[in-house]
């Protein structure tokens, strides 16, 4: 199983972190190790030696068939379910890596950094590019997003990734985070919502 993730896919978030609304010339792709996956509501243990850890709520899609060099117009055939996930990010490490021109492997791919919610079959929704989602911490909404605001659509991202990687059943795609990221702390209770469905719930320890 491979975990793909997209950076800088919402303009307001790009401005929030980088001071620009610019659409990247190509999708910004990074990967996470399979040991990053955090499932079934297991707690997220906040590392005590990595500085500030931020939440980044995202829509996640599940790849359902083998594919390579997939045209955008056929990409919808290659995923079957959607949920909300959290891309936990070691923000201090990310800033230092970016300033030094180094990869994001550690700050994005550490153990437990890819929380994932319960899957919902995509047929339950009229249009994947018209979903609303939000993240609550301790009962307060801290982040809201709409997939219609993506700079690159799900189908465009799948097509792009498949140029370089063979997609396989069970691979996951984190599609980017909207504006509103912030730090998590020990004792926080996180809930992720997809439309009116609560699909993700976990505690920080």
């Amino acid at each position: 199983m491979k975990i793909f993730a997209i950076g800088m896919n919402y303009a307001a978030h790009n401005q929030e972190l980088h001071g620009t609304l610019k659409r990247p010339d190509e999708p910004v792709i990074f990967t996470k190790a399979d040991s990053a996956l955090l499932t079934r509501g297991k707690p997220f243990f906040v590392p005590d030696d990595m500085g500030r850890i931020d939440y980044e709520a995202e829509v996640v899609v599940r790849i359902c068939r083998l594919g390579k060099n997939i045209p955008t117009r056929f990409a919808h055939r290659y995923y079957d379910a959607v949920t909300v996930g959290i891309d936990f990010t070691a923000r201090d490490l990310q800033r230092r890596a970016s300033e030094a021109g180094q990869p994001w492997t550690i700050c994005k791919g550490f153990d437990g950094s890819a929380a994932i919610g319960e899957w919902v079959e995509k047929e339950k929704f009229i249009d994947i590019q018209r979903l609303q989602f939000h993240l609550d911490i301790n009962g307060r909404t801290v982040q809201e997003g709409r997939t219609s605001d993506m700079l690159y659509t799900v189908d465009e991202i799948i097509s792009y990734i498949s140029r370089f990687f063979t997609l396989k059943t069970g691979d996951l795609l984190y599609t980017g985070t909207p504006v509103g990221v912030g730090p998590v702390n020990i004792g926080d209770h996180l809930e992720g919502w997809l439309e009116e469905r609560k699909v993700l719930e976990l505690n920080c320890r």
Side-chain angles (χ1 to χ4, degrees):
M1 182 199 70
K2 301 183 290 298
I3 303 174
F4 298 100
I6 310 304
M8 302 176 64
N9 202 29
Y10 287 82
H13 172 62
N14 297 349
Q15 186 176 47
E16 174 182 47
L17 289 188
H18 308 288
T20 178
L21 293 171
K22 180 182 177 183
R23 181 181 191 257
D25 293 334
E26 295 180 324
V28 177
I29 309 296
F30 59 94
T31 60
K32 289 174 174 275
D34 57 4
S35 60
L37 198 62
L38 190 66
T39 62
R40 301 185 184 90
K42 294 178 182 177
F44 172 68
F45 290 94
V46 182
D48 59 8
D49 60 349
M50 297 179 68
R52 170 173 160 167
I53 305 296
D54 279 4
Y55 59 81
E56 297 190 6
E58 314 195 5
V59 166
V60 185
V61 299
R62 183 178 67 193
I63 301 300
C64 63
R65 60 190 295 188
L66 187 72
K68 176 70 174 175
N69 293 320
I70 303 165
T72 300
R73 67 183 183 277
F74 296 138
H76 65 279
R77 301 177 181 176
Y78 288 81
Y79 56 97
D80 64 351
V82 61
T83 190
V84 170
I86 301 175
D87 167 22
F88 287 109
T89 302
R91 190 68 70 202
D92 295 335
L93 294 184
Q94 185 188 36
R95 288 196 181 101
R96 291 203 292 269
S98 296
E99 290 169 359
Q102 297 174 350
W104 293 353
T105 305
I106 294 175
C107 66
K108 286 287 194 177
F110 61 92
D111 287 354
S113 63
I116 194 78
E118 298 177 4
W119 294 107
V120 181
E121 299 302 314
K122 72 174 185 179
E123 285 75 16
K124 300 288 185 181
F125 305 105
I126 296 173
D127 185 350
I128 292 296
Q129 292 302 151
R130 294 175 59 188
L131 297 178
Q132 298 186 22
F133 61 102
H134 68 272
L135 176 70
D136 294 353
I137 297 183
N138 304 326
R140 181 175 67 89
T141 297
V142 296
Q143 196 174 15
E144 298 180 85
R146 296 172 177 79
T147 55
S148 58
D149 293 332
M150 286 180 178
L151 300 178
Y152 287 96
T153 68
V154 172
D155 291 357
E156 288 172 334
I157 294 166
I158 287 175
S159 178
Y160 180 80
I161 290 175
S162 72
R163 289 167 50 189
F164 310 99
F165 301 92
T166 298
L167 296 179
K168 296 183 178 181
T169 300
D171 287 348
L172 305 180
L173 173 60
Y174 284 65
T175 59
T177 194
V179 69
V181 301
V184 292
N185 299 286
I186 293 173
D188 284 345
H189 181 70
L190 280 61
E191 297 173 302
W193 297 77
L194 185 62
E195 296 288 348
E196 302 301 321
R197 302 167 184 254
K198 182 167 69 173
V199 294
L200 173 67
E201 187 169 10
L202 61 87
N203 294 305
C204 293
R205 295 182 180 172

